[in-house]
Amino acid sequence: MSSQKIIEAIQKAANESGVKLTLDPSTYNSTLKSLNIDSLNAMSIIINVEKSLNVRLHDDDLASLKTLGDLINSFEKVMK
């Protein structure tokens, strides 16, 4: 699956969670906190993306998520 599909799934999940999020390469190094994504919103987004892509992130990956890029990379890793 392409990175674009993952990014689209994250964007859709963020919108469904009420988070206004612009996904472009300039935001990938931004921390989730700086993007106004609290832990509850982050988990909601992750769960919705997992359901959408029919995958599950590993607990180790969840614990290390700091940036938007980390989130994208975690989904790319599990999709391989």
Side-chain angles (χ1 to χ4, degrees), residues 5-19 21 23 44-45 48-49 52:
K5 293 283 186 185
I6 294 168
I7 291 167
E8 289 171 3
I10 293 171
Q11 182 71 65
K12 182 179 177 191
N15 291 341
E16 289 172 353
S17 298
V19 175
L21 183 62
L23 286 165
S44 177
I45 291 168
N48 286 333
V49 173
S52 171

Side-chain angles (χ1 to χ4, degrees), residues 35-48:
L35 295 170
N36 295 319
I37 300 173
D38 62 24
S39 58
L40 184 60
N41 285 334
M43 287 311 300
S44 177
I45 291 168
I46 290 166
I47 290 167
N48 286 333

Side-chain angles (χ1 to χ4, degrees), residues 1 3 5 19 26 30-31 33-35 41 64:
M1 177 170 287
S3 295
K5 293 283 186 185
V19 175
S26 68
S30 300
T31 64
K33 185 175 182 176
S34 72
L35 295 170
N41 285 334
S64 65

Side-chain angles (χ1 to χ4, degrees), residues 58-74:
H58 301 286
D59 291 341
D60 293 341
D61 291 333
L62 290 173
S64 65
L65 293 177
K66 301 284 186 238
T67 67
L68 189 53
D70 292 341
L71 181 60
I72 294 167
N73 291 335
S74 293

